[in-house]
Structure formats: structure tokens, C-alpha cells
Amino acid sequence: MIKRKFLLTAIAILLCAPVPASALKVIESDQFYVYFPEGDEPLADRISQWCAPMARYLSEQGLPIRKPVHILLDEDFDQPGAITQLYPHREIRLPLRAPGALEDGYTESDPWRYFLFEGLCVLGISNERSGLPGGAYRLFGEIISPNTILPEWTIDGISHLMWERYTLKRSTDPVAEAIFNASPIPGLDQVSHHPEVWPGKLSYSIYGRPFVRWLYQQYGWDKILRFLQLHGSGVIPIEIDLKAKRAFGMTWNQLWQIFQAEHVPVVSAGKGVYMVGYWGDPYYYWNETGVYPGIVHTGSRSRYGHVDQNNWLWTSEYIAGASQIKIQRHGAWRLVTKKHVWDPGPGPVAVTRQGHTPELVIFAERQGSKLLDGFDETIPMELVIAGPPGVLQMSGPVMDESGRIAVAANTQGNWDIWVFDDQWLRVTNAPSIDIDPWWVDGKLIFSSNHSGRFQIHNPDFTPLTDAAVAAMLPRNGTYLYMDATGWRRGSVDFARIPDREERYLAIAVPDTKTPKSKDKSLWPNYIVPDYFFNLDEFQLGVSTRASDVSREYAWNAGFRIEPDDGEASWRLGYKAKTVSTRLTRYPFTSSPQRGVSVDEMRLEANIAWSPRKIEELSLSANWQRYDPRNGDSDEDQEWWASIGWKDQLGSVHTTMTLDLFNDASQSLYGEFLYWYGEKVNTILRIQGGKTWGDPKAGHNTFRIGGSTGEGYFTQRSSRLFPLRGFDSNIIEADQAVSGSLSVLWPLVRLQTGYKTLPLFLHNITLGTFIDAGIAGDQFGSEDVLISAGVELVTGIQMAWESKSHFSIGLAWPLRKPDDIEQEGPVLLLLIGRPL
């Protein structure tokens, strides 16, 4: 028996080993290993050829690169920039996606060359160590590198300076330069910690890069290298001011004050707004701190977005480095599971990629707000269009009423406007940055720095605005213009748009035609580890799923095994348009304090239908064979019919299920969920269920207790009502009701850092909740269970690393029946980003 358990556990562990989406290939040259997905050989070959000369240059400048170095073209990574790490090996991860408009590196003719140099330079800076850190490295390896613990503006600014010296040309971002020239240089604490005020997180690059360039002009490279050497030999890696004083004769703050004094900004009255993107009507704007009015939640958001006909705001965010679409309205939001899609715009259209090549996406017209139901958050893509030949990236697509799509596209660092109208048409071809296209009554306008500063133009570059600093992002009848304190909204003067036909655009509406589609395929292209864990169970397994491009046909499969007793569970499901089937085998165990214990192995089959015009409704027939695992009785079977209803209206979710069993019993379950919040988040959840006829434990009854992950196999989690502060399955009966109210209160908006101290405090939030429930043949006040809890949630950033969340709290069982055993309080602990 032990050998059997061991074998099954080993098989489960092997099955759970990560399986790559596609096999990686590798090119090696002089101990630089470049890994890449199939199909990206030309890009990988270029990268391999760049490594040696870049490393040789950095070594000549006093920043030698230790080898081997592993460089990965990461197909799961979109965010522009290089991710470097020293252990367990020296590695640089590069995004397959080229940067979008106004993202770092967007003016480079080959952004991957720029990102590679940045990554190698960071490795060189990190490898600069001596003294005790150097001795520790020789003895133990990569356990400490003081130069990795530096403010972002120092590492980024030095890397950018070295890039300019390597390429022998100044690398500038016209928008960052406009902000730098228009606004006063903030205090060093803002650039060290980039608080959430104008100009936001990018303060470190907008002001840090010119500051490091100024240092180089005043003191030369030897003094900057001397600072890196001093810091690399220091035993207190968070202290940087004394080392600056030894290298430059002044602390960083003193140097910064001199730098500030040499810059005279444009004077501006009033106060602008810090925003990344906006929508004109209804008025929304967003930045790294959240959406206003809307959900205040930190995230790296896209510049582009739009509000659909149902008043849902579509934006895209980088989630773990991958771009995903986020849709929200009135404090409610949904994150679309499809990755590598960004810049949603009217149409609805967006941008994606195939390998490193950009593509346009046109969403299925039928999808609309149905995407927000929360039950299938994949994106139905009606049409995928390859970008123009030679284009590195596309940004900000918008569709007009005739179906033409305008988009900004990057060719070797020069951004131009293109239009897709059954074929690609190039609208501009000037040495300028042309971005932010928009349609006005069938005519195209966009933002361009063709005249020296960004203004709104038409295709023959007639300026339609006269902004003193910059004018960008035309949207409906408005646009943004910049001053020294942020962005302000202006109104487009439509009378300035020339009233003439644009000869290079196909104005005629294209013929209506059936959208092109990729070949259907139902074979899965991935398999992922799968697991379940609570205090009573531990399961390991794998799962996969597949569908065609229309999402009309799909199937999924999953397998789990319990290492403790060797029990295997599996499921197989298939969907064809409005009909779906499922076959499942799984163990089911329940041991309530009040009720009958159940321990069974079940085989279950299901077929369901949902009418296309009433997708909220579902009808299903279900069959189950169950066999008690303790051998007390023989196997048996049952079948039942179900009528289900699932709907969402804004932040309100409703669910109802009626089960009709073959033994003449019936069960009715209902749920109401209300989630609302912008700054204060409120979640109300009410569940209830009742069975008529002969109750059968574990089959048509309801259970109440603590939280659980059950439901993947049973697909009937409605039979369990969770209560925080209580054990799971504490009471089982033929009727039950539970309710939960949770509120998250913002206590303090700190946004506080001090000069170069490596500690930045964000916000403190108080979370409060109360849960209550009752289950039994008859409801009585003495049978009510109540629990309540409180927790503190903080956002903290230490040593200039990424922001993280930490919450800690307690839950108390306040009231329970006399025969129920439950001790309290129960500790609640969460490290990471909360839901």
C-alpha cells in the first residue's frame, strides 16, 4: 500500500511539472545563450550578434559582465523593458512585444537592441562589488549585490546615459522632454519614490535621466563609476548619501538642489490633472492610482481606452507583465482572461500580437456587455488582421461608422498613421511622432509633433490647436493640453478641419461581408498544473481546455489525485454552440457536527442547453452513480433535472437553481451578490436553499460552515454556504440561509517618502465583515451562527522594490448553537495582492 501511494504521488508530481506553451530554441555565442519561441529566429539571431560588442563596451567602461548570461525572448511578457536577475542564474528577460506609443523605447529603431543593452548594463551595475559584499560573493555566490538596491532613477538614469554614449546619439522622448521643460523639477523624494501626483510614476525617468546626464557633464563618468564602486563595497546597501558625498563632494539631495536651480520652468496658473488616459463623454480619466470617477486601485494602465454603449469603461493593464483588458463601471470590474491584448478602442477594436508581430483585433459584435457576465470572460475575436509589413508596433486603434480602422504604427522608431479599409493605407510618412488617431464625421485627426510641439492635426498636417506645450488625445469633441501642473481638457474647433475629401483614404463604405476566421481547431495547446488544498484535503493534478476562434465549440479536461489515499478524480467537458456536456468522477466527503456524514465516490454525467436569445437561462439533465467508500451499503444512482438562471446588472449578480429529483424531491437555491465601491468597497452576499420531499445527506441537502474550494468537480458549490470563523461543513440540513457583509474603508492615504530613504508608505485600509447563517429543519433563534472580523490592509514599498499588500486580521465566532464546538478567534493572514 505504501509503495502504491508513493508511486501515485510521484506520478502526480511529474504531471504537475510546468509544461511550456511551446518548446524554446536556443542560440549560443561566447556564453550568451538566447532562448526564443519557434518563429522568432531572425530576432533572436540579431540579439545574439549584439551581445558581445555590448559586453565589450561595458567592460571598457568599468562594468564587466560575468558569464554565462541567459537571455530569454519571453512570449508571456508584454511590458516594455528588460527584467534582470542574478540568481539562480544571470538572466535577462525581454518582451516579445515592442513598446507602444509613449512607452519606454518607443522612438528606438530597434527597441529589442535598446532593451538588451539596458539589461546588460543593469547586470554590469549589479556585478560591481568589492569589500565584504565581494568576499561574500566569492564564498557563497550571488547572495548580495548592493547596487541592485538603488532608487530607480539611478539605475535607469545610468543605463540610459550608457546607451547614449554607446550609440553616440542623444535618446529623447518628446513628451518627457515637454514635461521636463514645462514643469518645475520636484523634490528628490518624489523622484526616489514617485508618489501618485503629476507627473506620476515616470518622474524617475522624466527628471532622473536629465539629472544623471547633468552629473556626467559636471563630473564625468569616472565619478559616477566611483559612486557605484563605493556602494558596491558598502555593508549598508540602503544608505546612498554618504557614498555620493565621497564620490561627488555632496549628498544626492545637495546635488539635486543645484540641478533644480538651473532649471527655470514655464509659469502656469491653476492646477492641471495627472492622467494617463481619458474619455470625454461620460468623463473618465485614469492613471496608475485608478479610474476617476471609479475604482481607486494601483496598476499600470494603458494610455488608450473607451466607453462602450452600455457605459462600461474598457482599458488595458499590465498584469504580471502581460497586457489584459479590464472593463469596469460604477465600482464593478471584470478582468478578461485573454492575455496579450491592449489599447481597446471604439469598434470595439484592440491590438494583439502573433509572436513579436502586431495584429489588430475586431471583437465579435454579439459580444458587447455579455463579456461582463463573469461566466466566460474569454474574448470572442471576430477578425484578426496582421499589421502593415515592417511595422514594429501599433497603438490606439479606433473604428469609424463605415468600418475603417485608424491606428498609429511604428516603423524603425518613426510613428505614422495608417488606416485599414480592406487593405492597409499609409496616411502619414513624415519624420515625426504621429499618434492618437480619431475620426470626426468621417474625417481623420491625430496628434503630432510635426510642427515642433505636439498639436492636433489633420492628414495634411494643418494644425487644429495652438497649445503652448502639447496637445494630445483627441476624443469626441475634446482633447488634452499640457501645462506645468498637469493635463487640462480643451475643445476641438471643428471649423478648422478642412472640408475636403482626403484622396489617400477610401471613403466609400466597404461591402458587408462575412468576417474572415482562422481555421477551427479543438486541440489544446497547453496543459497546466492544477491543485486543491485545505486543512482536510490535498490534491494534485493537471488541466487543459481548448476552443475554436468563435468560442462556439470548446472542451476541457482535468485530472487530480489525492496522494494520501490514491483516489483519482477527473472531468471531461464539451460545448457545441448552446449545448454542453460534462462527465466527472470524484470523491465526496462531508462530516458535519450536526447532520449525517457522507463519504462516497461519484460518477456524474450532465447535458445542458442555454437558449441563444436568453443566455441567462439554462436547462440540464443530470445523472449520478455513487458508491459509499466505507462499504456500508451498495452503490446507487439518481437523476435530476435543473433549471438555472444567472444574470448580472451592473454590480448586482443573481443566481437561482431549481433541482427536480427522480425520488419526487425538489430543491431551490438562490443567491444575491452586490459588489460596489470606488474608494470604499462594499460586498453583500445572501444565499438560501430549501429542499422539499425526502432529504438525502450530501445529495439534496445544504451545508453551512467555513470556506472551501469544492465545486470544480461537483459543479454544485451552491450546496455549501461559507461562514468565516467556523469550520467547514459544520451543519447539514434540508434548508439553510446565510448572509455576509464586508466593507473596506480607506483609513489613511499616506503617499509618504523622504529624500533617498528606501521606504515609501502608500495607504492603510480597514476591512470589516460580519457573517451569519442558519440551517435546520426548523429555523429558531437559538440555531443562528454569527461571526465577525476585522483586518488591516497596508501598501508598502521597501528598498525601492515593487509595491505589495499585507493584511492581517481576526475573525470571532460570536454566536452558535450550544451543541456546536467552535473555538475562536481565527487568524486571517494574507500576503500579496488581495482580491
Side-chain angles (χ1 to χ4, degrees), residues 520 522 546-548 550-556 573-582 607-612:
K520 292 182 178 179
L522 292 176
S547 67
D548 72 323
S550 69
R551 303 302 192 265
E552 295 273 349
Y553 303 87
W555 68 269
N556 64 81
Y574 177 74
K575 186 190 83 166
K577 297 187 177 180
T578 60
V579 177
S580 62
T581 63
R582 186 181 70 246
I607 182 168
W609 172 70
S610 180
R612 191 177 288 276

Side-chain angles (χ1 to χ4, degrees), residues 304-482:
Y304 302 100
H306 77 104
V307 176
D308 65 19
Q309 59 184 357
N310 297 309
N311 283 334
W312 286 90
L313 172 66
W314 295 48
T315 57
S316 57
E317 290 189 25
Y318 290 118
I319 309 295
S323 185
Q324 291 180 255
I325 289 181
K326 188 173 184 178
I327 309 170
Q328 54 193 293
R329 181 181 71 178
H330 302 319
W333 64 274
R334 292 291 178 270
L335 185 65
V336 176
T337 55
K338 174 71 176 179
K339 296 182 179 180
H340 316 303
V341 183
W342 59 89
D343 289 1
V349 292
V351 179
T352 185
R353 63 173 170 82
Q354 178 64 39
H356 67 278
T357 303
E359 297 179 326
L360 281 180
V361 171
I362 304 176
F363 297 118
E365 196 172 305
R366 64 181 180 278
Q367 158 248 317
S369 63
K370 295 301 179 186
L371 178 64
L372 311 177
D373 285 346
F375 310 122
D376 182 8
E377 294 180 349
T378 55
I379 301 181
M381 294 182 183
E382 187 176 67
L383 185 60
V384 179
I385 303 167
V391 161
L392 298 176
Q393 185 56 287
M394 298 189 291
S395 282
V398 291
M399 180 187 289
D400 72 354
E401 293 181 354
S402 68
R404 295 177 300 173
I405 303 171
V407 67
N410 175 11
T411 306
Q412 296 186 333
N414 192 73
W415 285 81
D416 297 297
I417 303 299
W418 292 71
V419 167
F420 182 80
D421 185 12
D422 280 343
Q423 61 178 329
W424 282 107
L425 303 167
R426 190 166 188 165
V427 178
T428 65
N429 191 20
S432 56
I433 305 297
D434 307 332
I435 54 176
D436 303 347
W438 190 254
W439 297 100
V440 178
D441 295 330
K443 297 187 179 298
L444 188 62
I445 61 176
F446 54 88
S447 178
S448 174
N449 66 345
H450 182 80
S451 60
R453 64 169 62 100
F454 280 97
Q455 304 287 355
I456 309 301
H457 294 78
N458 76 331
D460 64 6
F461 289 107
T462 301
L464 308 178
T465 57
D466 303 296
V469 179
M472 310 188 84
L473 273 177
R475 287 294 180 266
N476 298 327
T478 60
Y479 68 96
L480 294 184
Y481 68 92
M482 184 198 304

Side-chain angles (χ1 to χ4, degrees), residues 41 98-99 139 142-143 190 199 312 318 349 352 422 514 548 577 579 648 667 680 691 697 717 738 757:
E41 288 88 347
L139 188 60
E142 301 280 3
I143 62 169
Q190 179 171 329
W312 286 90
Y318 290 118
V349 292
T352 185
D422 280 343
T514 303
D548 72 323
K577 297 187 177 180
V579 177
Q648 174 187 349
S667 287
V680 177
T691 294
S717 56
S738 72
L757 289 181

Side-chain angles (χ1 to χ4, degrees), residues 63 109 162 282 330 338-339 343 347 568 576 669 719 798:
L63 299 176
S109 59
M162 297 303 290
H330 302 319
K338 174 71 176 179
K339 296 182 179 180
D343 289 1
Y669 165 80
R719 296 287 170 181
M798 296 186 65

Side-chain angles (χ1 to χ4, degrees), residues 405-700:
I405 303 171
V407 67
N410 175 11
T411 306
Q412 296 186 333
N414 192 73
W415 285 81
D416 297 297
I417 303 299
W418 292 71
V419 167
F420 182 80
D421 185 12
D422 280 343
Q423 61 178 329
W424 282 107
L425 303 167
R426 190 166 188 165
V427 178
T428 65
N429 191 20
S432 56
I433 305 297
D434 307 332
I435 54 176
D436 303 347
W438 190 254
W439 297 100
V440 178
D441 295 330
K443 297 187 179 298
L444 188 62
I445 61 176
F446 54 88
S447 178
S448 174
N449 66 345
H450 182 80
S451 60
R453 64 169 62 100
F454 280 97
Q455 304 287 355
I456 309 301
H457 294 78
N458 76 331
D460 64 6
F461 289 107
T462 301
L464 308 178
T465 57
D466 303 296
V469 179
M472 310 188 84
L473 273 177
R475 287 294 180 266
N476 298 327
T478 60
Y479 68 96
L480 294 184
Y481 68 92
M482 184 198 304
D483 67 10
T485 62
W487 293 101
R488 302 169 186 262
R489 281 198 301 167
S491 298
V492 176
D493 185 0
F494 295 108
R496 296 178 66 173
I497 301 178
D499 186 18
R500 61 175 178 267
E501 182 177 346
E502 296 156 355
R503 289 175 295 175
Y504 35 74
L505 292 180
I507 301 299
V509 178
D511 295 334
T512 302
K513 56 185 68 177
T514 303
K516 298 176 182 178
S517 175
K518 295 182 178 179
D519 292 336
K520 292 182 178 179
S521 174
L522 292 176
W523 291 106
N525 63 358
Y526 76 99
I527 187 169
V528 295
D530 183 40
Y531 67 92
F532 169 72
F533 173 79
N534 65 13
L535 296 177
D536 303 317
E537 289 185 85
F538 176 50
Q539 301 174 357
L540 292 171
V542 292
S543 66
T544 189
R545 69 180 178 89
S547 67
D548 72 323
V549 69
S550 69
R551 303 302 192 265
E552 295 273 349
Y553 303 87
W555 68 269
N556 64 81
F559 173 83
R560 287 184 186 170
I561 193 168
E562 295 185 44
D564 183 49
D565 59 11
E567 287 286 7
S569 305
W570 52 263
R571 65 172 295 187
L572 180 64
Y574 177 74
K575 186 190 83 166
K577 297 187 177 180
T578 60
V579 177
S580 62
T581 63
R582 186 181 70 246
L583 184 64
T584 316
R585 181 185 187 271
Y586 62 93
F588 177 84
T589 302
S590 173
S591 300
Q593 293 189 34
R594 184 190 291 179
V596 179
S597 295
V598 178
D599 187 9
E600 299 173 346
M601 177 57 69
R602 298 177 173 180
L603 180 65
E604 187 172 304
N606 161 280
I607 182 168
W609 172 70
S610 180
R612 191 177 288 276
K613 293 185 178 181
I614 315 176
E615 295 181 1
E616 297 81 6
L617 176 66
S618 64
L619 307 175
S620 67
N622 309 269
W623 171 86
Q624 182 183 102
R625 187 184 69 202
Y626 53 95
D627 185 12
R629 294 198 291 179
N630 55 20
D632 290 345
S633 59
D634 297 330
E635 70 176 35
D636 201 352
Q637 63 181 344
E638 65 182 350
W639 66 267
W640 68 97
S642 293
I643 304 172
W645 180 270
K646 292 182 178 180
D647 194 14
Q648 174 187 349
L649 180 61
S651 300
V652 176
H653 301 249
T654 55
T655 303
M656 186 168 292
T657 304
L658 174 64
D659 291 329
L660 306 172
F661 293 88
N662 64 316
D663 62 359
S665 65
Q666 307 89 38
S667 287
L668 181 64
Y669 165 80
E671 177 182 355
F672 173 88
L673 179 65
Y674 176 74
W675 184 79
Y676 184 80
E678 295 181 355
K679 296 181 179 179
V680 177
N681 293 303
T682 303
I683 304 169
L684 173 65
R685 185 184 189 187
I686 300 173
Q687 296 175 278
K690 181 176 176 58
T691 294
W692 294 269
D694 183 22
K696 184 183 297 183
H699 291 258
N700 59 4

